[in-house]
Amino acid sequence: MSSEPQIVGTAIQGRTGQVPAVAGGAFKALLVVLVLLGIVGFGLGLASGQADRAWQAYLVNLLVWLGIAQGGVVLSAAFYLTQGRWLGTTQYRLAEAFVGFIPLGFILFWGLYFGRTLIFPWVLHPIPQKAAWLNTPFLFARDGLGLALMTVLSLALVRLSRGPQAAAWQRDSADIEMPPREMRRTAVALAILFAVVYSLIAFDLVMSLAPQWHSTLFGWYFFGGAFWSAIVATAVSAVVLRARLGAHNAFRNPTVLHDLGKLVFAFSIFWVYLVFSQYIVIWYGNIPVETFFIVHRVYHMPWEAISYAVVILMWVAPFLVLLGVRPKKSPAILGTIACGGLVGVWLERYLLVVPSLSPRAIPFGWVQLLVTLGFLGAFVLCSLPGLNLTAAAALAEPWEEHE
Amino acid sequence: MSGPVEIVASFADESGCAGSIEKLRTAKPIAVRVFSPIPSHHIEHAIGKRKSPVRAFVLTGGILGVISALALTIGTSWEWNLVVGGKPIVSWPPFIVIMFELMVLFGGISAVLGFLLNARVPAFEIDAGYSSRFSGDRFGVVVRCEEGDSTRFESILRDAGAEEVGREAA
Amino acid sequence: MAAAVQEPVAPTFGDIDRSVLRVMEMPGLVYWIWVGFCFALVGIGAALWTRQIYEGLGVTGLRQPVMWAVYITNFVFWVGIAHSGTLISAILFLFRTRWRTAVYRAAETMTLFAVATAGLFPMIHLGRVWNLYWLLPYPNQRYLQPNFRSPLVWDAFAVSTYLTISALFLFMGLIPDVANAREHATGWRRTFYATLALGWRGTDEQWRHFSMAYLLLAGLATPLVLSVHSVVSWDFAMAQLPGWHSTIFAPYFVAGAIFSGVAMVITLLVPMRRWLHIEDLLTPWHFDNLAKVVLLTSLVVTYSYSVETFMAWYSGDKIEQMTFYMRYFGPWGWLFWVMVLCNCLIPLLLFSPRIRVNLTALWIISLFVNVGMWTERFVIIAGSLATNFNPSQWAFFRPSITEIMITAGSFGWFLGLFSLFARFLPIVSMTELKEGIVWLRKSLRKDYSRVA
């Protein structure tokens, strides 16, 4: 889906010619197997009377992985708009690496139509006061249109970003000029639309699963979390690429991991601030139509345990561990915290979605596992072209020790 | 009978100043002091001292702030167990807000205290070699060395690009 | 002294010093008339406050159910203004933003005096001002302690912390600058600057500790900004009142604070730049970037209004829907639409690069934003109270002369203090501008006559 590979800088000696392949044939085969397992698992889930669990797994994973992919492109847009050029072209390739999953995510969104009776409680039991908003045609039309726009804009931004004009700007860090006009406008449109569309997604695909509940901050909270998940995923990619690309790639510069670590640290604090803002308002007001959502997830086992896990993985660990300078620069520590963060994000989306649909027990069996593996495989497969370009950029802007 | 002398060199730019410090380090004078109108990572790096202990002050202050807040809020709540608004006696969401604010307050005050104590400010004595242009647009390097070595150091400083090199009694 | 001249395009350290120190020479008659006018406003406000203390809060327009109106609006407004100063001085410091250096001192000064102004209002709003000390946790014969479960107590902690940290941050940053000013001053000024400079001489040891302390203060001030206006917003969100009880209030108010504050920075800096002849230090590039912050936060505020409106409908809660209906179409509905015009529509003009660097247009837009944001606080506070749960209680607020003049007095207090600072202490940070002189030179070379 990504455009033909662009060479930035001097010629690179990769394993397959001019753009290095980050993953070998065996790894790609493994990913394909995971995808197939996911499809099979989903199908078996539908067939064996666990259709509701299958669709829950589908929805949770769609939200997680599409959030990461989209958040990455928005991160690139944010870099453009704040004129961040601390790592030249590599940082932009890194943020945009996951763009390949966005079109797939868009297609998979439509799959939700087929499970709508099992996902959205208001399909079979419509709520009269909210029926003007919560009805199948309108929901799919608005969310579909929103995601379509996001897909088009994301691909446009990444295509522009991989072009020579953008590359020249990205490498010129000693200047105060804004990025080229087309990039600026696309980045602005993308950022604004991200907030609007992903708030809609949050309200429609997550909040409406508990249709009596509402929280004005929910949309912001959701796309804030998606943004953080993208930052964390880029940190993981940076750590992995750093190890795999030899001794002189751009990621070996300790300030790179330091800067990524700072982003992980700062936005994890922002996330917990949004969590606390919702919590304290709902706790203090003590209004039953608002509190049931939180009480169910935070005060009742088994969900209580997951809530604690989510906060620990998404805030406590990153905050305490990444407070100092040296842990941020250590690939092992940053990588572990970032992986933990990804697990936390998955658990958080799970915690938002599933208790509304399956109140009493935690449904996690082989269906959930296989579907998750399938999405993971698909995500990594779609991101491989982007990661290859990132590797190419990192090798083209090598870093020497003692620079 | 030669005693230590102070050589004062003034530089017009940061890089010249930082470069001269690097050259001086190999020559091992008794002491070097640098005056600068702006904070400079370049110069700080060239001098190569360890990170400032002000960090420890701030960390301690922050932790003290959190503990004080907990003590204050939980202590006063227990002292007079009024159930207000149906909230528990020890209700942690509001107390977190107080903890956070006192953490920042104590941390910030500690940062300033740490600075004052470590930088020995307010300073009532003028450092030797100081000249008013070092607060404006010139960088100053003051080298303390033996009388016999002074010509060597003076030439090092001149080679590094010093505008003026002068002498001050130690 | 010469007015705006053809300044060299590659200013040196000395040029920066001269431009800034020139501002601190003895000001003329016009300046003193302006300061006199400001403090005259303060005097009138103080006189009316004295009358209010003597006669009680009945002289205001406060009547059930609207027991919070203009004074609380002013409080939130001024605290909000303060936040953008800290954003620019602390948060942008952490981001190493290049355009920050010329504007941050003025912004941080604005913060300090805005908080000092805001801090007056809880006192003004207190009928029995002499009981203010009850807020402190001191042992008393009834064993009563402050109620830490109350958002008003959180407010006391948050705003006093903010006042302290802002003052410390401002005065720390001033030290190298007043040391420089000390070298060029004589007489009482020299003593004044020397005292403030604490004997600073700029040695490497001093800078080492200073830089670390400054960085950590910036790091502490950053979450403080988020927390203080969140706490202020929770004064309202903790209630169950429709229009107040909303989870989005914390980040929405923070964004609104930055919005109103950066607009106020522009309102102050555009005339200041002309009157103090510092056009060579504050270039269109700085204003371009300030305008972008205004635009961004305006979009966030528009988002918040939209989400609140949608959620009022989505909730299906009749009372909440009625509150919002009255807010938009009730007797004071016109005020709401003024607010939308000022906060949502007019800032859209800032999408145009030409308008962003047209300082007159930018200044006018900033005035609209100031008006719009004051109005927004009033609409939320007084508007929601006026249409509460019990329709038989509904009554709409009418401001009294006391409240109007005290509001005017607060503006006088703020502008007076700011003006005094601007002439007697360095209103542009010479130290940081010199540190980032590369970017200043580039911005002076930038050609804004043909913007994309």
Side-chain angles (χ1 to χ4, degrees), chain C residues 140-219:
Chain C
N140 57 69
Q141 118 279 23
R142 288 186 62 194
Y143 301 104
L144 279 176
Q145 303 290 351
N147 175 17
F148 288 104
R149 277 162 239 90
S150 162
L152 302 183
V153 175
W154 310 343
D155 244 359
F157 275 76
V159 176
S160 7
T161 302
Y162 194 42
L163 182 63
T164 314
I165 300 290
S166 296
L168 288 175
F169 197 49
L170 176 65
F171 284 107
M172 275 229 15
L174 266 175
I175 290 175
D177 267 13
V178 287
N180 195 8
R182 164 195 70 201
E183 301 301 335
H184 297 265
T186 52
W188 67 268
R189 284 166 183 269
R190 193 184 177 95
T191 322
F192 176 54
Y193 297 139
T195 317
L196 277 178
L198 303 176
W200 175 267
R201 291 284 166 341
T203 65
D204 49 294
E205 266 297 294
Q206 289 173 341
W207 275 119
R208 189 163 78 93
H209 300 298
F210 178 90
S211 300
M212 177 64 77
Y214 196 80
L215 175 67
L216 291 170
L217 263 180

Side-chain angles (χ1 to χ4, degrees), chain A residues 253-341:
Chain A
N253 183 351
T255 47
V256 173
L257 288 184
H258 189 191
D259 282 331
L260 284 173
K262 281 193 256 189
L263 283 175
V264 172
F265 179 78
F267 280 95
S268 118
I269 296 179
F270 185 65
W271 174 83
V272 85
Y273 161 74
L274 294 177
V275 170
F276 185 75
S277 297
Q278 285 187 113
Y279 185 88
I280 197 170
V281 171
I282 293 179
W283 174 82
Y284 208 100
N286 213 9
I287 302 174
V289 76
E290 294 180 354
T291 54
F292 79 86
F293 190 88
I294 305 238
V295 166
H296 191 42
R297 286 160 174 75
V298 178
Y299 293 127
H300 293 160
M301 289 301 257
W303 303 109
E304 187 178 353
I306 301 199
S307 294
Y308 277 92
V310 166
V311 175
I312 290 173
L313 288 172
M314 287 183 77
W315 177 65
V316 179
F319 181 78
L320 291 178
V321 174
L322 295 181
L323 190 56
V325 172
R326 249 172 304 166
K328 290 197 268 269
K329 292 183 177 176
S330 151
I333 297 180
L334 183 62
T336 315
I337 296 292
C339 283

Side-chain angles (χ1 to χ4, degrees), chain C residues 241-306:
Chain C
L241 190 66
W244 278 16
H245 189 75
S246 170
T247 46
I248 203 174
F249 260 34
Y252 154 43
F253 266 56
V254 173
I258 296 169
F259 181 43
S260 64
V262 179
M264 183 63 88
V265 168
I266 294 175
T267 306
L268 292 172
L269 282 183
V270 169
M272 198 181 88
R273 175 179 183 266
R274 170 97 55 91
W275 295 340
L276 301 181
H277 308 302
I278 44 177
E279 291 95 339
D280 50 331
L281 301 177
L282 283 173
T283 66
W285 178 60
H286 296 105
F287 288 98
D288 183 28
N289 284 294
L290 284 170
K292 286 181 198 166
V293 178
V294 171
L295 178 59
L296 170 67
T297 44
S298 159
L299 291 171
V300 175
V301 164
T302 307
Y303 168 89
S304 305
Y305 295 162
S306 317

